[in-house]
C-alpha cells in the first residue's frame, strides 16, 4: 500500500533527535511565514510600486547564484543567522503601529533573506543526515513538512481573514509562536555546533597521529 511510504518516513523521523528538531523548526517558521504572507501581499499592492515588488522577487531568486559563496560556512552559523532573523522579524511587528510602508518593506526584506537562508541551509544540512536517513527520504520528508506547513498556514490565514481578525492581533499571536520557534532553533544550533566541533577535534587528532607515525 502507498501509505507504507508515509509510515516509513515518520518512523525515520522518530529515530533521530536532530531530524525532529529540524522538522519542528522547518514547520513552525514556514507556518508563521505563510500566515503573514497573504496579508503582506495585500499590503504590497497598497503601498509598494511594481518596481520594488519585482526587486524583492529578483533578490529571492538569487539563492542558487550565491550558494557557492557559502560552501565552507559552518552549518551552526547558518542557524545562528536564522535565530537573528527571527528575532528581527518579531521586533519588526511593532512597526505596524508606526508606519505601514516601513513595516511592509521590513517584512519583505526579512522574507527574502529567509528564503535565501532556507536554501543554503538545505544544502548544508544534507551532510549531517546521510548517516541517519537516506538522502532521498530526507529530501522527501523535508518537502512533505514544507508543503504541510504552507497548507496549514494558508488555511489559517483564510480563517483569520474570514473572521476579520486584525493584523495586529495576528502578529501578536505569531510573535509568541515565533519565540517558541527560536527556542527550538537555539537547541538545534547548539546541537549542530557540538557535532561540528567534535568532528573538527577528531580530524585534528587524526592528523596529529598521522604526523607522529610519519615522524617515527
Amino acid at each position: 500500500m502507498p501509505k507504507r511510504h508515509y509510515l516509513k518516513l515518520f518512523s525515520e523521523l522518530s529515530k533521530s533527535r536532530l531530524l525532529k528538531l529540524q522538522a519542528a523548526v522547518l514547520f513552525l517558521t514556514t507556518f508563521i511565514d505563510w500566515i503573514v504572507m497573504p496579508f503582506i501581499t495585500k499590503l504590497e499592492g497598497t503601498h509598494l510600486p511594481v518596481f520594488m515588488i519585482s526587486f524583492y522577487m529578483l533578490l529571492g531568486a538569487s539563492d542558487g547564484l550565491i550558494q557557492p559563496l557559502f560552501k565552507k560556512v559552518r552549518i551552526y552559523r547558518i542557524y545562528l543567522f536564522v535565530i537573528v532573523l527571527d528575532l528581527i522579524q518579531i521586533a519588526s511587528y511593532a512597526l505596524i503601529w508606526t508606519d505601514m510602508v516601513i513595516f511592509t518593506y521590513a517584512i519583505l526584506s526579512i522574507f527574502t533573506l529567509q528564503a535565501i537562508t532556507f536554501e543554503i541551509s538545505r544544502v548544508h544540512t544534507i551532510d549531517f543526515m546521510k548517516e541517519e536517513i537516506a538522502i532521498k527520504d530526507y529530501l522527501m520528508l523535508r518537502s512533505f513538512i514544507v508543503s504541510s506547513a504552507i497548507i496549514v498556514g494558508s488555511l489559517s490565514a483564510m480563517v483569520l481573514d474570514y473572521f476579520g481578525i486584525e493584523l495586529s492581533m495576528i502578529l501578536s499571536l505569531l510573535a509568541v509562536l515565533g519565540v517558541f520557534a527560536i527556542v527550538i532553533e537555539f537547541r538545534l544550533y547548539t546541537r549542530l555546533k557540538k557535532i561540528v566541533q567534535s568532528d573538527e577535534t577528531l580530524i585534528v587528532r587524526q592528523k596529529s597521529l598521522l604526523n607522529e607515525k610519519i615522524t617515527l
Side-chain angles (χ1 to χ4, degrees):
M1 293 289 290
K3 68 178 181 180
R4 74 176 185 273
H5 300 303
Y6 291 95
L7 295 175
K8 182 177 182 298
L9 281 180
F10 285 104
S11 67
E12 294 290 344
L13 180 63
S14 64
K15 295 177 186 175
S16 171
R17 182 177 177 81
L18 183 60
L19 193 57
K20 281 190 276 191
L21 287 174
Q22 286 186 53
V25 166
L26 192 58
F27 184 88
L28 283 173
T29 54
T30 306
F31 172 73
I32 291 170
D33 287 352
W34 279 83
I35 288 181
V36 179
M37 194 82 72
F39 296 97
I40 297 303
T41 303
K42 183 178 179 180
L43 291 175
E44 283 178 0
T46 306
H47 298 291
L48 302 187
V50 172
F51 173 82
M52 286 308 301
I53 297 172
S54 298
F55 178 71
Y56 279 114
M57 294 172 75
L58 182 151
L59 288 179
S62 67
D63 59 275
L65 301 177
I66 66 174
Q67 276 279 8
L69 297 176
F70 298 92
K71 185 177 181 179
K72 298 295 184 180
V73 70
R74 290 174 173 82
I75 183 64
Y76 63 86
R77 289 181 177 170
I78 296 176
Y79 277 97
L80 181 60
F81 183 66
V82 169
I83 292 172
V84 172
L85 269 183
D86 285 349
L87 287 171
I88 294 173
Q89 179 173 333
I90 293 173
S92 71
Y93 292 162
L95 291 171
I96 194 173
W97 289 287
T98 56
D99 193 311
M100 192 63 74
V101 176
I102 295 176
F103 167 75
T104 307
Y105 274 111
I107 290 295
L108 283 176
S109 299
I110 293 166
F111 280 176
T112 303
L113 288 173
Q114 283 178 333
I116 294 172
T117 307
F118 176 86
E119 289 303 313
I120 293 173
S121 66
R122 179 177 63 84
V123 173
H124 284 72
T125 309
I126 287 175
D127 285 338
F128 289 87
M129 305 314 304
K130 60 188 178 184
E131 301 297 331
E132 301 189 33
I133 183 174
I135 298 302
K136 184 177 181 179
D137 288 341
Y138 172 71
L139 294 176
M140 197 174 297
L141 180 61
R142 191 180 178 97
S143 296
F144 180 86
I145 292 168
V146 170
S147 294
S148 300
I150 290 174
I151 290 170
V152 177
S154 299
L155 289 173
S156 299
M158 290 180 190
V159 172
L160 292 168
D161 184 60
Y162 177 80
F163 286 103
I165 307 299
E166 292 184 2
L167 182 57
S168 57
M169 177 62 70
I170 294 171
L171 294 179
S172 297
L173 294 173
L174 292 180
V176 175
L177 194 58
V179 170
F180 180 63
I182 289 171
V183 172
I184 301 176
E185 287 167 358
F186 184 76
R187 291 175 62 187
L188 184 57
Y189 159 76
T190 55
R191 191 168 183 82
L192 287 171
K193 184 177 181 180
K194 184 177 180 179
I195 292 172
V196 171
Q197 290 180 339
S198 297
D199 288 345
E200 289 175 345
T201 301
L202 181 61
I203 291 172
V204 170
R205 287 177 180 174
Q206 289 175 339
K207 286 183 178 179
S208 177
L209 288 172
L210 181 61
N211 290 333
E212 288 178 7
K213 288 180 180 179
I214 292 173
T215 304
L216 290 174

